[in-house]
Amino acid sequence: MPAKHDVQAQRYEVKYLVPASLRYPIRDFLAAHLELDAFARQSADCAYAIHSIYLDSPALHTHQATQNDDRNRFKLRMRYYDDRPESPLFLEVKQRCDDVIKKTRCMVARPDLERVLSGDTSSLREKDLAGYAQFTHLAREIQAAPCAYVTYRREAWVSPFDNSVRVTMDSDVLVEPKFDLVPQTAPVYPVRPFGGELILEFKYTARYPDWLRSLVRSFDLTRTGVPKYSAGVKSYGVPRFMERPASSLQWRGECAAPA
């Protein structure tokens, strides 16, 4: 998987849980307005794997914020796309304020991960320092540590003209406890919190396109919250995620969050 994965830095998100039988009809609808992203086009099934290790506090602060539907909340995760030693890792913060989502990320070479998390930023690119500062500030604030492994297959559709609209269909969502930051690409004893259903997500940066409204009406979709990590914690059982050993992450230093 190529190292470059474009993200919309600030956007709106709308999610739906849909039957797997709608994949191909929805795909046909999307094809009239968008195109598969570069990574989906490389796959025979138009989808690619996404792997994340989520970090949370000992009391599962970010999970509880999702369950309480807090208007302002965030998630911390390390994301990657394959198991190749030369492929990068991404430290990500996903923040929500009502329906507005802001996402920051910091790219880290795999051999440098331990040093970077210990405060040595010499290997980071200049453009990744703000994302690193945001990640470590929030992680220190809640004393976050690795908590869960989440993996799924993503089919992604994008605007051929700009980055204003992105639609994804995620399937085969699997979640299990994980208490270290060693990348893995296959679960051992996972739960499947959404069964065989698909997560359909609209991501847009400006006006909600009329053709998306038409898609919703055509397939009689109902908007819902579909948090993968938090749903997995509930399905597996909250106590299992709170049984983790003491973390070796110290979150040293005074790296303030960017303004």
Side-chain angles (χ1 to χ4, degrees):
M1 184 66 62
K4 186 177 185 295
H5 284 256
D6 293 330
V7 295
Q8 297 158 310
Q10 185 166 308
R11 67 199 186 205
Y12 298 92
E13 290 186 356
V14 182
K15 298 181 182 180
Y16 303 89
L17 200 58
V18 303
S21 60
L22 291 182
R23 176 191 292 275
Y24 296 108
I26 290 176
R27 179 184 290 174
D28 289 341
F29 195 109
L30 293 173
H33 302 275
L34 304 174
E35 62 184 18
L36 285 169
D37 78 359
F39 311 110
R41 288 198 299 269
Q42 297 175 21
S43 174
D45 67 350
C46 300
Y48 51 89
I50 292 182
H51 309 278
S52 298
I53 299 174
Y54 280 76
L55 294 84
D56 210 338
S57 74
L60 303 186
H61 170 90
T62 71
H63 164 68
Q64 297 298 342
T66 299
Q67 293 301 299
N68 296 336
D69 198 26
D70 291 355
R71 295 177 62 186
N72 299 298
R73 59 185 188 267
F74 64 88
K75 293 185 178 70
L76 301 169
R77 64 194 179 204
M78 184 179 79
R79 176 155 290 185
Y80 50 101
Y81 300 93
D82 55 50
D83 57 3
R84 297 183 301 174
E86 68 272 19
S87 294
L89 307 168
F90 297 91
L91 304 178
E92 295 187 344
V93 178
K94 184 176 181 180
Q95 294 179 291
R96 173 182 288 273
C97 182
D98 292 329
D99 284 337
V100 178
I101 304 297
K102 183 177 181 181
K103 187 173 175 181
T104 58
R105 64 179 356 192
C106 167
M107 188 173 77
V108 181
R110 296 192 185 210
D112 298 331
L113 179 63
E114 185 174 350
R115 291 195 301 275
V116 168
L117 293 178
S118 297
D120 180 357
T121 61
S122 60
S123 63
L124 297 183
R125 303 174 302 177
E126 182 72 24
K127 68 178 184 179
D128 286 320
L129 293 177
Y132 170 81
Q134 181 78 346
F135 184 91
T136 54
H137 170 77
L138 292 173
R140 182 181 301 108
E141 193 173 71
I142 66 170
Q143 285 301 295
C147 185
Y149 169 60
V150 179
T151 185
Y152 51 93
R153 300 282 296 172
R154 167 159 289 178
E155 177 176 327
W157 294 80
V158 296
S159 169
F161 309 110
D162 53 36
N163 198 35
S164 62
V165 179
R166 180 176 174 87
V167 177
T168 58
M169 284 194 288
D170 295 340
S171 60
D172 300 321
V173 179
L174 303 172
V175 184
E176 68 183 9
K178 182 170 175 61
F179 305 131
D180 60 59
L181 286 175
V182 178
Q184 69 181 81
T185 55
V188 182
Y189 297 111
V191 292
R192 190 184 294 268
F194 307 109
E197 292 189 289
L198 307 175
I199 300 172
L200 176 66
E201 186 171 358
F202 304 159
K203 309 171 187 185
Y204 56 100
T205 59
R207 188 179 67 87
Y208 187 83
D210 290 336
W211 65 265
L212 284 180
R213 299 181 195 278
S214 179
L215 188 157
V216 171
R217 289 194 299 268
S218 297
F219 294 100
D220 193 26
L221 304 181
T222 301
R223 182 178 177 180
T224 186
V226 198
K228 299 181 184 75
Y229 159 62
S230 195
V233 170
K234 284 187 65 178
S235 296
Y236 213 104
V238 171
R240 180 66 184 90
F241 292 84
M242 301 180 74
E243 295 170 356
R244 62 189 181 188
S247 173
S248 61
L249 296 176
Q250 300 300 315
W251 305 118
R252 301 183 181 91
E254 295 297 331
C255 186

